[in-house]
Amino acid sequence: MSGEFSLIDKYFAHKQQSRKDVVLAQGDDCAIVAPSNGSHIAISTDTLVSGTHFLADADPAHIAHKALASNISDLVAMGASPAWVSMGISLPEMNASWLERFSSAFFKLADYYGIQLIGGDTTRGPLTITLTVQGLVPEGKALTRHGAESGDWIYVTGKLGDAKAGLDVILEKNISGDRELNSELQRRHFEATPRVLAGLALRDIASSAIDISDGLISDLGHILKRSNVGARLNVAELPFSDELVRFVGGTEAAQQYALTSGEEYELCFTVPEANRGQLEVALSTTPFTCIGRSPGLVS
Ligand code: ADP
Ligand code: MG
């Protein structure tokens, strides 16, 4: 697009301290990276389209946060530590204040997790953001969806349901009379962050993992299908916030939200009986809850 170079320079090029494993970032035909020996590279791409994944008039800071957080969440669900990101962005117009807010929020999160923007492409068109993230995982240590076995215990990190309630508020589908509660749940939707430390700590402990982006039922379903095992969930153990109960008006409704809410970027993972004891130490800074077991052994 015309003015592409100045736009890239102004908002996207060389805004971060370079990682040691980045040989060449923006400015040439390709970026060059140098992963250390013994590392595998995990790669994931996600596209966010205006009107489908966010409202056209959404705060650009929220769009940037969501785009990067959801991509980083895919990396950590594999046990990969975030390293590099490329951005394809299509913009309907050159809007300086929009770009300013978008890029500052993007780099704030990117710097926090040590992931470096190494390249991309900028075009004119309907607002769309495609990110390709790459992360590092020691050879053979990636957490997959296909490793769960009969008898494994099923866990989730954090609390579930707030992101769906926040989305209800944003879409004005369901709004509580309590304005502070509405805005708190909306904030939790927009500011959800990926469970990076937990994902890395689970490498040696979990048999499978996935990030919850479509809802627990659906995402746990992916693990079960790929691992070819079943699950018995203890719905009474589902973790959710007091704010969610207030918002939906009761425990049962909160459980429904916890089962179907996505985009809080919590992890769902399975752990073999033999590794259960290590969880407390490995996840010492992350809240987690056992919500069931893959049937096969009598508990
Ligand atoms: P090319 O003509 O080779 O496709 P471009 O003009 O598209 O190169 O981009 C010039 C440089 O700027 C490249 O190094 C590219 O990776 C980088 N770049 C373009 N758009 C973005 C963006 N949105 N974010 C980060 N880097 C970008
Ligand atoms: Mg290009």
Side-chain angles (χ1 to χ4, degrees), residues 168-235:
D168 281 0
V169 177
I170 296 160
L171 300 178
E172 297 176 5
K173 245 173 83 183
N174 178 14
I175 296 188
S176 132
D178 181 339
R179 285 178 60 181
E180 259 178 47
L181 181 60
N182 290 332
S183 60
E184 174 58 18
L185 289 165
Q186 197 170 341
R187 189 192 65 75
R188 290 183 192 179
H189 177 93
F190 283 130
E191 292 176 15
T193 48
R195 289 287 185 189
V196 177
L197 287 178
L200 304 189
L202 286 170
R203 276 173 187 163
D204 293 312
I205 294 173
S207 51
S208 72
I210 192 166
D211 65 319
I212 303 177
S213 51
D214 293 330
L216 176 65
I217 292 287
S218 158
D219 290 318
L220 174 60
H222 293 309
I223 289 187
L224 303 178
K225 193 160 176 231
R226 293 291 306 275
S227 302
N228 203 19
V229 293
R232 203 169 293 139
L233 283 193
N234 190 352
V235 175

Side-chain angles (χ1 to χ4, degrees), residues 156-162 212 216 238-241 244 258 264 266:
V156 290
T157 58
K159 291 176 177 171
L160 304 176
D162 288 350
I212 303 177
L216 176 65
L238 285 173
F240 46 77
S241 69
L244 180 64
E264 35 258 293
E266 297 298 349

Side-chain angles (χ1 to χ4, degrees), residues 4-5 8 12 25-29 87 89 117-122:
E4 181 189 357
F5 294 113
I8 296 165
F12 296 117
Q26 295 99 331
D28 216 313
D29 294 317
M87 179 198 301
I89 185 163
L117 183 66
I118 54 168
D121 197 25
T122 308

